[in-house]
Coordinates of all heavy atoms in Angstrom, one line a residue:
M109 N 0.8 -1.2 0.0 CA 0.0 0.0 0.0 C 0.9 1.2 0.0 O 1.9 1.3 0.7 CB -0.9 0.0 1.3 CG -1.6 1.3 1.4 SD -2.7 1.4 2.9 CE -2.4 0.1 3.9
V110 N 0.5 2.2 -0.8 CA 1.2 3.5 -0.8 C 0.2 4.6 -0.4 O -0.9 4.6 -1.0 CB 1.8 3.8 -2.2 CG1 2.4 5.2 -2.3 CG2 2.8 2.7 -2.6
I111 N 0.6 5.4 0.5 CA -0.2 6.6 0.9 C 0.6 7.8 0.6 O 1.7 8.0 1.1 CB -0.6 6.5 2.3 CG1 -1.3 5.2 2.6 CG2 -1.4 7.7 2.7 CD1 -1.5 4.9 4.1
M112 N 0.1 8.7 -0.2 CA 0.8 10.0 -0.5 C 0.1 11.0 0.3 O -1.1 11.2 0.3 CB 0.6 10.3 -2.0 CG 1.1 9.2 -3.0 SD 2.8 8.8 -2.8 CE 3.5 10.3 -3.6
L113 N 1.0 11.8 1.0 CA 0.5 12.9 1.9 C 1.1 14.2 1.4 O 2.3 14.3 1.2 CB 1.0 12.6 3.3 CG 0.6 11.3 4.0 CD1 1.3 11.1 5.3 CD2 -0.9 11.2 4.1
E114 N 0.2 15.1 1.1 CA 0.6 16.4 0.7 C 0.4 17.4 1.8 O -0.5 17.3 2.6 CB -0.2 16.9 -0.5 CG 0.1 16.2 -1.8 CD -0.6 16.8 -3.0 OE1 -1.2 17.9 -2.8 OE2 -0.5 16.3 -4.1
N115 N 1.3 18.4 1.9 CA 1.2 19.5 2.9 C 1.3 18.9 4.3 O 0.6 19.5 5.2 CB 0.0 20.3 2.7 CG -0.1 20.9 1.3 OD1 0.9 21.4 0.8 ND2 -1.3 20.8 0.7
F116 N 2.1 17.9 4.5 CA 2.3 17.4 5.9 C 3.8 17.6 6.2 O 4.7 17.4 5.4 CB 2.1 15.8 5.9 CG 0.8 15.4 6.2 CD1 -0.3 15.6 5.2 CD2 0.5 14.7 7.3 CE1 -1.5 15.2 5.5 CE2 -0.8 14.3 7.6 CZ -1.8 14.5 6.7
D117 N 4.0 18.1 7.5 CA 5.4 18.1 7.9 C 5.7 16.7 8.4 O 4.8 15.9 8.6 CB 5.6 19.2 9.0 CG 4.8 19.0 10.2 OD1 4.7 17.8 10.7 OD2 4.3 20.0 10.8
I118 N 6.9 16.4 8.7 CA 7.4 15.1 9.0 C 6.8 14.6 10.3 O 6.4 13.5 10.5 CB 8.9 14.9 9.0 CG1 9.3 13.5 9.0 CG2 9.6 15.7 10.1 CD1 10.7 13.2 8.6
D119 N 6.6 15.5 11.3 CA 6.1 15.1 12.6 C 4.6 14.6 12.5 O 4.3 13.6 13.0 CB 6.1 16.2 13.6 CG 7.6 16.6 14.0 OD1 8.4 15.6 14.1 OD2 7.9 17.8 14.2
H120 N 3.8 15.3 11.7 CA 2.4 14.9 11.5 C 2.4 13.6 10.6 O 1.5 12.8 10.9 CB 1.6 16.0 10.8 CG 1.2 17.1 11.8 ND1 1.8 18.4 11.7 CD2 0.4 17.2 12.9 CE1 1.4 19.1 12.7 NE2 0.5 18.4 13.4
A121 N 3.3 13.5 9.7 CA 3.2 12.3 8.9 C 3.6 11.1 9.7 O 3.0 10.0 9.6 CB 4.2 12.4 7.7
V122 N 4.6 11.2 10.6 CA 4.9 10.1 11.5 C 3.8 9.7 12.4 O 3.4 8.6 12.5 CB 6.2 10.4 12.3 CG1 6.4 9.4 13.4 CG2 7.4 10.5 11.4
R123 N 3.1 10.7 13.0 CA 2.0 10.5 13.8 C 0.9 9.8 13.0 O 0.2 8.8 13.5 CB 1.4 11.8 14.4 CG 2.2 12.2 15.6 CD 1.5 13.3 16.4 NE 2.5 14.3 16.8 CZ 2.5 15.5 16.4 NH1 1.7 16.0 15.6 NH2 3.5 16.3 16.8
F124 N 0.6 10.2 11.8 CA -0.4 9.6 11.0 C -0.1 8.2 10.7 O -0.9 7.3 10.8 CB -0.6 10.4 9.7 CG -1.7 9.9 8.8 CD1 -3.0 10.0 9.2 CD2 -1.4 9.4 7.6 CE1 -4.0 9.5 8.4 CE2 -2.3 8.9 6.7 CZ -3.7 9.0 7.2
C125 N 1.2 7.9 10.3 CA 1.6 6.5 10.0 C 1.5 5.7 11.3 O 1.1 4.5 11.2 CB 3.0 6.5 9.5 SG 3.1 7.1 7.8
E126 N 1.9 6.2 12.4 CA 1.8 5.4 13.7 C 0.3 5.1 14.0 O 0.0 4.1 14.5 CB 2.5 6.1 14.8 CG 4.0 6.0 14.8 CD 4.4 4.5 14.9 OE1 4.3 4.0 16.0 OE2 4.8 4.0 13.9
H127 N -0.5 6.1 13.7 CA -2.0 5.8 13.9 C -2.5 4.7 13.0 O -3.2 3.8 13.5 CB -2.8 7.1 13.6 CG -4.3 7.0 13.7 ND1 -4.9 6.8 14.8 CD2 -5.2 6.9 12.7 CE1 -6.2 6.7 14.6 NE2 -6.4 6.7 13.3
I128 N -2.1 4.7 11.7 CA -2.5 3.6 10.8 C -1.9 2.3 11.3 O -2.6 1.3 11.4 CB -2.0 3.9 9.4 CG1 -2.8 5.1 8.8 CG2 -2.1 2.7 8.5 CD1 -2.2 5.6 7.5
R129 N -0.6 2.3 11.7 CA 0.0 1.1 12.1 C -0.7 0.5 13.4 O -1.0 -0.7 13.5 CB 1.5 1.3 12.4 CG 2.3 0.1 12.6 CD 3.7 0.4 13.1 NE 3.7 1.2 14.3 CZ 3.5 0.7 15.5 NH1 3.1 -0.6 15.6 NH2 3.5 1.4 16.6
T130 N -1.0 1.4 14.3 CA -1.7 0.9 15.5 C -3.1 0.4 15.3 O -3.5 -0.6 15.8 CB -1.8 2.1 16.5 OG1 -0.5 2.6 16.8 CG2 -2.5 1.7 17.8
E131 N -3.8 1.1 14.4 CA -5.2 0.6 14.1 C -5.2 -0.7 13.4 O -6.0 -1.6 13.6 CB -5.9 1.7 13.2 CG -6.3 2.9 13.9 CD -7.2 2.7 15.1 OE1 -8.2 2.0 14.9 OE2 -7.0 3.2 16.2
I132 N -4.2 -1.0 12.5 CA -4.1 -2.3 11.9 C -3.8 -3.4 12.9 O -4.4 -4.4 12.8 CB -2.9 -2.2 10.8 CG1 -3.3 -1.5 9.6 CG2 -2.5 -3.7 10.4 CD1 -2.2 -1.2 8.6
S133 N -3.0 -3.1 13.9 CA -2.7 -4.1 14.9 C -3.9 -4.4 15.8 O -3.9 -5.4 16.4 CB -1.5 -3.7 15.7 OG -1.8 -2.6 16.6
L134 N -4.8 -3.5 15.9 CA -6.0 -3.7 16.7 C -7.2 -4.3 16.0 O -8.2 -4.7 16.7 CB -6.5 -2.3 17.3 CG -5.5 -1.6 18.2 CD1 -6.1 -0.2 18.5 CD2 -5.3 -2.3 19.4
L135 N -7.1 -4.5 14.7 CA -8.2 -5.2 14.0 C -8.3 -6.6 14.4 O -7.4 -7.3 14.7 CB -7.9 -5.2 12.5 CG -7.9 -3.8 11.8 CD1 -7.4 -4.0 10.3 CD2 -9.4 -3.3 11.8
K136 N -9.6 -7.1 14.5 CA -9.9 -8.4 14.9 C -10.1 -9.3 13.6 O -10.9 -8.9 12.8 CB -11.1 -8.5 15.7 CG -11.1 -7.7 17.0 CD -10.1 -8.2 18.0 CE -10.1 -7.4 19.3 NZ -9.0 -7.7 20.1
W137 N -9.3 -10.4 13.5 CA -9.4 -11.2 12.3 C -9.9 -12.6 12.8 O -9.8 -13.0 13.9 CB -8.0 -11.4 11.7 CG -7.4 -10.1 11.3 CD1 -6.7 -9.2 12.0 CD2 -7.5 -9.5 10.0 NE1 -6.3 -8.1 11.2 CE2 -6.8 -8.3 10.0 CE3 -8.1 -10.0 8.8 CZ2 -6.7 -7.5 8.9 CZ3 -7.9 -9.1 7.7 CH2 -7.3 -7.9 7.7
R138 N -10.5 -13.3 11.8 CA -10.9 -14.7 12.1 C -9.8 -15.6 12.5 O -8.6 -15.3 12.2 CB -11.6 -15.3 10.8 CG -13.0 -14.7 10.6 CD -13.6 -15.4 9.4 NE -13.2 -14.7 8.2 CZ -13.4 -15.0 7.0 NH1 -14.0 -16.2 6.8 NH2 -13.1 -14.3 6.0
N139 N -10.1 -16.6 13.2 CA -9.2 -17.6 13.7 C -8.0 -17.0 14.5 O -6.9 -17.6 14.5 CB -8.6 -18.4 12.5 CG -9.7 -19.0 11.7 OD1 -10.6 -19.5 12.2 ND2 -9.5 -19.1 10.4
D140 N -8.3 -15.9 15.2 CA -7.3 -15.3 16.1 C -6.0 -14.9 15.4 O -4.9 -15.0 15.9 CB -7.0 -16.1 17.3 CG -8.2 -16.2 18.3 OD1 -8.9 -15.2 18.3 OD2 -8.3 -17.2 18.9
V141 N -6.1 -14.6 14.1 CA -4.9 -14.1 13.3 C -4.6 -12.7 13.8 O -5.5 -11.9 13.9 CB -5.2 -14.1 11.8 CG1 -4.1 -13.5 11.0 CG2 -5.4 -15.6 11.4
H142 N -3.3 -12.4 14.0 CA -2.9 -11.1 14.5 C -2.0 -10.5 13.4 O -1.0 -11.1 12.9 CB -2.1 -11.2 15.8 CG -1.7 -9.9 16.3 ND1 -2.6 -9.1 16.9 CD2 -0.5 -9.2 16.3 CE1 -2.0 -8.0 17.3 NE2 -0.7 -8.1 17.0
V143 N -2.4 -9.3 12.9 CA -1.7 -8.7 11.8 C -1.0 -7.4 12.3 O -1.6 -6.7 13.1 CB -2.7 -8.3 10.7 CG1 -2.0 -7.5 9.6 CG2 -3.4 -9.5 10.1
T144 N 0.2 -7.2 11.9 CA 1.0 -6.0 12.2 C 1.5 -5.4 11.0 O 1.4 -6.0 9.9 CB 2.1 -6.3 13.2 OG1 3.1 -7.2 12.5 CG2 1.7 -7.0 14.5
A145 N 2.0 -4.2 11.1 CA 2.5 -3.5 9.9 C 3.8 -2.8 10.3 O 4.0 -2.3 11.3 CB 1.5 -2.4 9.4
S146 N 4.7 -2.7 9.2 CA 5.9 -2.0 9.3 C 5.8 -0.9 8.2 O 5.4 -1.2 7.1 CB 7.1 -2.8 9.0 OG 7.3 -3.8 10.0
L147 N 6.0 0.3 8.5 CA 5.8 1.4 7.5 C 7.1 2.2 7.3 O 8.0 2.3 8.2 CB 4.7 2.4 8.1 CG 3.4 1.8 8.4 CD1 2.5 2.8 8.9 CD2 2.8 1.1 7.1
G148 N 7.2 2.7 6.2 CA 8.4 3.6 5.8 C 7.9 4.9 5.2 O 7.0 4.9 4.4
L149 N 8.6 6.0 5.6 CA 8.2 7.3 5.1 C 9.4 7.8 4.2 O 10.5 7.5 4.5 CB 8.1 8.3 6.2 CG 6.8 8.3 7.1 CD1 7.0 9.2 8.3 CD2 5.7 8.7 6.2
G150 N 9.0 8.5 3.2 CA 10.0 9.1 2.3 C 9.8 10.6 2.2 O 8.7 11.0 1.9
F151 N 10.8 11.4 2.5 CA 10.7 12.8 2.5 C 11.8 13.6 1.9 O 11.6 14.6 1.2 CB 10.7 13.3 4.0 CG 9.2 13.4 4.6 CD1 8.7 12.4 5.3 CD2 8.5 14.6 4.3 CE1 7.5 12.5 5.9 CE2 7.2 14.7 4.9 CZ 6.7 13.6 5.6
E152 N 13.0 13.1 2.1 CA 14.2 13.9 1.9 C 14.9 13.8 0.5 O 15.9 14.4 0.3 CB 15.2 13.7 3.0 CG 14.6 14.1 4.4 CD 15.7 14.0 5.4 OE1 16.8 13.4 5.2 OE2 15.4 14.6 6.5
T153 N 14.4 13.0 -0.3 CA 15.0 12.8 -1.6 C 14.0 13.1 -2.7 O 12.8 13.0 -2.5 CB 15.5 11.4 -1.8 OG1 14.4 10.4 -1.8 CG2 16.5 11.0 -0.7
P154 N 14.5 13.4 -3.9 CA 13.6 13.5 -5.0 C 12.7 12.3 -5.3 O 11.6 12.4 -5.8 CB 14.5 13.9 -6.2 CG 15.7 14.4 -5.6 CD 15.9 13.7 -4.3
N155 N 13.3 11.1 -5.0 CA 12.6 9.9 -5.2 C 12.0 9.4 -3.9 O 12.5 8.4 -3.3 CB 13.5 8.8 -5.8 CG 12.8 7.6 -6.3 OD1 11.6 7.4 -6.1 ND2 13.5 6.8 -7.0
C156 N 11.0 10.0 -3.4 CA 10.5 9.7 -2.1 C 9.9 8.3 -2.0 O 9.9 7.7 -0.9 CB 9.6 10.8 -1.6 SG 8.1 11.0 -2.5
K157 N 9.4 7.8 -3.1 CA 8.8 6.5 -3.1 C 9.9 5.4 -2.8 O 9.7 4.5 -2.0 CB 8.1 6.1 -4.4 CG 6.8 6.9 -4.6 CD 6.3 6.5 -6.0 CE 5.3 7.5 -6.5 NZ 4.9 7.2 -7.8
K158 N 11.0 5.6 -3.4 CA 12.1 4.7 -3.2 C 12.6 4.8 -1.7 O 12.9 3.8 -1.1 CB 13.3 5.0 -4.1 CG 14.4 4.0 -3.9 CD 15.6 4.3 -4.9 CE 16.7 3.3 -4.7 NZ 17.9 3.7 -5.4
E159 N 12.7 6.0 -1.2 CA 13.1 6.2 0.2 C 12.1 5.6 1.1 O 12.5 4.9 2.1 CB 13.2 7.7 0.5 CG 13.7 8.0 1.9 CD 13.8 9.5 2.2 OE1 13.3 10.3 1.4 OE2 14.3 9.8 3.3
A160 N 10.8 5.7 0.9 CA 9.8 5.1 1.7 C 9.9 3.6 1.7 O 9.8 2.9 2.7 CB 8.4 5.5 1.3
D161 N 10.2 3.0 0.5 CA 10.3 1.5 0.4 C 11.6 1.1 1.2 O 11.5 0.1 1.9 CB 10.5 1.2 -1.1 CG 10.5 -0.3 -1.3 OD1 9.5 -1.0 -0.9 OD2 11.4 -0.8 -1.9
E162 N 12.7 1.8 1.0 CA 13.9 1.4 1.8 C 13.6 1.6 3.3 O 14.1 0.7 4.1 CB 15.0 2.3 1.4 CG 15.5 2.1 0.0 CD 16.5 3.1 -0.6 OE1 16.7 4.1 0.1 OE2 17.0 2.9 -1.7
N163 N 12.9 2.6 3.7 CA 12.6 2.8 5.1 C 11.7 1.6 5.7 O 11.8 1.2 6.8 CB 12.1 4.1 5.4 CG 13.1 5.2 5.4 OD1 14.3 4.9 5.8 ND2 12.8 6.4 5.0
M164 N 10.8 1.2 4.8 CA 9.9 0.1 5.2 C 10.7 -1.1 5.5 O 10.5 -1.8 6.5 CB 8.9 -0.2 4.2 CG 7.9 -1.3 4.6 SD 6.9 -2.0 3.3 CE 8.1 -2.6 2.1
Y165 N 11.7 -1.5 4.7 CA 12.5 -2.6 4.9 C 13.4 -2.5 6.1 O 13.7 -3.4 6.9 CB 13.3 -3.0 3.7 CG 12.5 -3.7 2.6 CD1 12.0 -3.0 1.6 CD2 12.1 -5.0 2.8 CE1 11.1 -3.6 0.7 CE2 11.2 -5.6 1.9 CZ 10.8 -4.9 0.8 OH 9.9 -5.5 -0.1
I166 N 13.9 -1.3 6.4 CA 14.6 -1.0 7.6 C 13.7 -1.2 8.8 O 14.2 -1.9 9.8 CB 15.2 0.5 7.6 CG1 16.3 0.6 6.6 CG2 15.6 0.9 9.0 CD1 16.7 2.0 6.3
A167 N 12.5 -0.8 8.8 CA 11.6 -1.1 9.9 C 11.4 -2.5 10.1 O 11.4 -3.0 11.3 CB 10.2 -0.4 9.6
K168 N 11.2 -3.3 9.1 CA 11.1 -4.8 9.2 C 12.3 -5.4 9.8 O 12.3 -6.3 10.6 CB 10.7 -5.4 7.9 CG 9.3 -5.1 7.4 CD 9.1 -5.7 6.0 CE 7.7 -5.4 5.6 NZ 7.0 -6.5 4.9
Q169 N 13.5 -5.0 9.3 CA 14.8 -5.5 9.8 C 15.0 -5.2 11.3 O 15.6 -6.0 12.0 CB 15.9 -5.0 9.0 CG 15.9 -5.5 7.6 CD 17.0 -4.8 6.7 OE1 17.6 -3.8 7.1 NE2 17.2 -5.3 5.5
K170 N 14.5 -4.0 11.7 CA 14.8 -3.6 13.1 C 13.8 -4.2 14.1 O 13.9 -3.8 15.3 CB 14.8 -2.1 13.2 CG 15.8 -1.4 12.4 CD 17.2 -1.7 13.0 CE 18.3 -1.0 12.1 NZ 19.6 -1.2 12.6
G171 N 12.9 -5.0 13.7 CA 12.0 -5.6 14.7 C 10.5 -5.6 14.3 O 9.7 -6.0 15.1
K172 N 10.2 -5.0 13.2 CA 8.8 -5.0 12.8 C 8.0 -4.1 13.7 O 8.4 -3.6 14.7 CB 8.2 -6.4 12.6 CG 8.9 -7.2 11.7 CD 8.3 -8.6 11.5 CE 9.1 -9.4 10.5 NZ 8.5 -10.7 10.3
K173 N 6.7 -3.9 13.3 CA 5.8 -3.0 14.1 C 6.4 -1.6 14.3 O 6.3 -1.1 15.4 CB 5.3 -3.7 15.4 CG 4.6 -4.9 15.2 CD 4.0 -5.4 16.5 CE 5.0 -6.1 17.3 NZ 4.6 -6.7 18.5
L174 N 7.1 -1.1 13.4 CA 7.7 0.2 13.5 C 7.4 1.1 12.2 O 7.0 0.6 11.2 CB 9.2 0.1 13.5 CG 9.8 -0.8 14.7 CD1 11.3 -1.1 14.5 CD2 9.6 0.0 16.0
T175 N 7.6 2.4 12.4 CA 7.6 3.3 11.3 C 9.1 3.9 11.2 O 9.6 4.4 12.2 CB 6.6 4.4 11.4 OG1 5.3 3.9 11.5 CG2 6.7 5.4 10.3
A176 N 9.7 3.7 10.0 CA 11.1 4.2 9.8 C 11.0 5.4 8.9 O 10.3 5.4 7.9 CB 11.9 3.1 9.2
Y177 N 11.9 6.4 9.2 CA 12.0 7.6 8.4 C 13.3 8.2 8.6 O 14.1 7.8 9.6 CB 10.9 8.5 8.7 CG 10.9 9.0 10.2 CD1 11.4 10.3 10.5 CD2 10.3 8.3 11.2 CE1 11.4 10.7 11.8 CE2 10.3 8.7 12.5 CZ 10.9 9.9 12.8 OH 10.9 10.4 14.1
K178 N 13.7 9.1 7.7 CA 14.9 9.9 7.9 C 14.6 11.3 8.1 O 13.7 11.9 7.5 CB 15.8 9.7 6.7 CG 16.4 8.3 6.6 CD 17.3 8.2 5.4 CE 17.9 6.8 5.3 NZ 18.7 6.7 4.1
R179 N 15.4 12.0 8.9 CA 15.3 13.4 9.2 C 16.7 13.9 9.2 O 17.6 13.5 9.9 CB 14.6 13.7 10.5 CG 14.5 15.2 10.8 CD 13.9 15.4 12.1 NE 12.4 15.2 12.0 CZ 11.6 15.4 12.9 NH1 12.0 15.8 14.1 NH2 10.3 15.2 12.8
N180 N 17.0 14.9 8.3 CA 18.3 15.5 8.2 C 19.4 14.4 7.9 O 20.5 14.5 8.5 CB 18.6 16.3 9.4 CG 17.7 17.5 9.5 OD1 17.2 18.1 8.5 ND2 17.3 17.8 10.8
G181 N 19.0 13.4 7.2 CA 20.0 12.3 6.9 C 20.2 11.3 8.0 O 20.9 10.3 7.8
K182 N 19.5 11.4 9.1 CA 19.7 10.5 10.2 C 18.4 9.6 10.3 O 17.3 10.0 10.1 CB 19.8 11.3 11.6 CG 20.1 10.4 12.7 CD 20.3 11.2 14.0 CE 20.5 10.2 15.1 NZ 20.7 10.9 16.4
Q183 N 18.7 8.3 10.5 CA 17.6 7.3 10.5 C 16.9 7.3 11.9 O 17.5 7.4 12.9 CB 18.2 5.9 10.3 CG 17.1 4.8 10.1 CD 16.4 4.9 8.8 OE1 17.0 5.0 7.7 NE2 15.1 5.0 8.8
F184 N 15.6 7.2 11.8 CA 14.7 7.2 13.0 C 13.7 6.1 12.9 O 13.3 5.7 11.8 CB 14.0 8.5 13.2 CG 14.8 9.6 13.6 CD1 15.4 10.5 12.7 CD2 15.1 9.9 15.0 CE1 16.2 11.5 13.0 CE2 15.9 11.0 15.3 CZ 16.4 11.8 14.4
L185 N 13.4 5.5 14.1 CA 12.3 4.5 14.2 C 11.3 5.0 15.2 O 11.6 5.4 16.3 CB 12.8 3.2 14.6 CG 13.9 2.5 13.7 CD1 14.5 1.3 14.4 CD2 13.2 2.1 12.4
A186 N 10.0 4.9 14.8 CA 8.9 5.3 15.7 C 8.1 4.1 16.1 O 7.9 3.2 15.3 CB 8.0 6.3 15.0
E187 N 7.8 4.1 17.3 CA 7.0 3.0 17.9 C 6.2 3.6 19.0 O 6.7 3.7 20.2 CB 7.8 1.8 18.4 CG 7.0 0.7 18.9 CD 7.8 -0.4 19.5 OE1 9.0 -0.2 19.9 OE2 7.3 -1.5 19.5
R188 N 5.0 4.0 18.7 CA 4.2 4.7 19.8 C 3.1 3.8 20.2 O 2.3 3.4 19.4 CB 3.6 6.0 19.2 CG 4.8 7.0 18.8 CD 4.2 8.3 18.4 NE 3.7 8.9 19.6 CZ 3.4 10.1 19.7 NH1 3.4 10.9 18.6 NH2 2.9 10.7 20.8
R189 N 3.1 3.5 21.5 CA 2.1 2.6 22.0 C 1.0 3.5 22.7 O 0.0 3.0 23.2 CB 2.7 1.6 23.0 CG 3.6 0.7 22.3 CD 4.3 -0.3 23.2 NE 5.3 -1.0 22.6 CZ 5.1 -2.2 22.1 NH1 4.0 -2.8 22.2 NH2 6.1 -2.8 21.5
L190 N 1.2 4.8 22.8 CA 0.2 5.6 23.4 C -0.9 6.0 22.5 O -0.7 5.9 21.2 CB 1.0 6.9 23.9 CG 2.1 6.7 24.8 CD1 2.8 8.1 25.1 CD2 1.7 6.2 26.1
D191 N -2.0 6.5 23.0 CA -3.1 6.9 22.1 C -2.6 8.3 21.5 O -2.5 9.3 22.2 CB -4.3 7.1 23.0 CG -5.5 7.5 22.1 OD1 -5.4 7.5 20.8 OD2 -6.6 7.7 22.6
I192 N -2.4 8.3 20.2 CA -1.9 9.5 19.5 C -3.0 10.2 18.9 O -2.8 11.3 18.3 CB -0.8 9.1 18.5 CG1 -1.4 8.1 17.5 CG2 0.4 8.5 19.2 CD1 -0.4 7.8 16.3
R193 N -4.2 9.8 18.9 CA -5.3 10.5 18.2 C -5.5 11.9 18.7 O -5.9 12.8 17.9 CB -6.6 9.7 18.3 CG -6.6 8.5 17.3 CD -7.8 7.7 17.5 NE -7.3 6.4 18.1 CZ -8.1 5.5 18.6 NH1 -9.4 5.7 18.8 NH2 -7.6 4.4 19.1
N194 N -5.4 12.1 20.0 CA -5.6 13.5 20.5 C -4.6 14.5 20.0 O -4.9 15.7 19.9 CB -5.5 13.5 22.0 CG -6.7 12.7 22.6 OD1 -7.7 12.5 22.0 ND2 -6.5 12.2 23.8
S195 N -3.5 14.1 19.6 CA -2.5 15.1 19.1 C -2.4 15.2 17.6 O -1.7 16.0 17.1 CB -1.1 14.7 19.6 OG -0.7 13.4 19.1
M196 N -3.3 14.5 16.9 CA -3.3 14.6 15.5 C -4.1 15.8 15.0 O -5.0 16.2 15.7 CB -4.0 13.3 14.9 CG -3.2 12.1 15.1 SD -3.8 10.6 14.4 CE -3.7 11.0 12.7
P197 N -3.7 16.4 13.9 CA -4.4 17.6 13.4 C -5.9 17.3 13.0 O -6.2 16.1 12.7 CB -3.6 18.0 12.2 CG -2.8 16.8 11.8 CD -2.6 16.0 13.0
D198 N -6.7 18.3 13.0 CA -8.1 18.1 12.7 C -8.4 17.7 11.2 O -9.5 17.3 10.9 CB -8.9 19.4 13.0 CG -8.9 19.6 14.5 OD1 -8.8 18.7 15.2 OD2 -9.0 20.8 14.9
K199 N -7.4 17.8 10.3 CA -7.7 17.6 8.9 C -7.8 16.1 8.6 O -7.9 15.7 7.4 CB -6.6 18.2 8.1 CG -5.2 17.8 8.3 CD -4.2 18.5 7.4 CE -2.8 18.3 7.8 NZ -1.9 19.1 7.0
F200 N -7.8 15.2 9.5 CA -8.0 13.8 9.2 C -9.5 13.5 9.3 O -10.2 13.4 10.1 CB -7.3 12.9 10.2 CG -5.8 13.0 10.1 CD1 -5.0 13.5 11.1 CD2 -5.1 12.8 8.9 CE1 -3.7 13.7 11.0 CE2 -3.8 12.9 8.8 CZ -3.1 13.4 9.8

């Protein structure tokens, strides 16, 4: 799945991705199947889709259930277990 976000700063994009990742993990599936997601964000290069794909694989390699992204060339991993909906902007 690819989600394109316009007019988002990186902090809001990370919160939004963590919200999606958390909601996926809370879904109830038949036969007690548990589904998780690893997400990657692309921001800092002209080819942001490739960067997002590379970050997704970094998230999977680092332990799954993470959102990976780069800020100022430095790699970050987000894993928020807190309820982040209250801090999300109203535009969702």
Side-chain angles (χ1 to χ4, degrees):
M109 170 181 10
V110 174
I111 301 170
M112 303 297 287
L113 304 172
E114 289 187 7
N115 303 316
F116 270 68
D117 63 39
I118 195 164
D119 292 323
H120 285 110
V122 169
R123 279 192 220 115
F124 182 66
C125 287
E126 283 297 285
H127 175 72
I128 291 170
R129 192 187 59 71
T130 301
E131 290 299 314
I132 288 171
S133 71
L134 295 175
L135 291 172
K136 302 293 183 195
W137 300 85
R138 284 186 270 170
N139 301 323
D140 289 329
V141 172
H142 186 73
V143 176
T144 62
S146 297
L147 304 175
L149 282 172
F151 269 96
E152 295 188 347
T153 66
N155 191 351
C156 63
K157 289 181 201 174
K158 182 179 179 193
E159 182 183 7
D161 187 57
E162 291 170 354
N163 282 326
M164 181 192 63
Y165 283 101
I166 289 170
K168 288 180 179 216
Q169 291 170 352
K170 296 293 183 179
K172 302 183 180 177
K173 297 189 282 183
L174 301 168
T175 298
Y177 62 99
K178 289 183 181 175
R179 180 183 284 184
N180 299 323
K182 185 175 177 184
Q183 187 72 55
F184 289 91
L185 298 170
E187 179 184 26
R188 299 188 69 171
R189 296 175 188 262
L190 302 173
D191 184 6
I192 59 173
R193 283 177 247 164
N194 292 337
S195 61
M196 293 183 65
D198 292 333
K199 60 182 168 184
F200 297 115

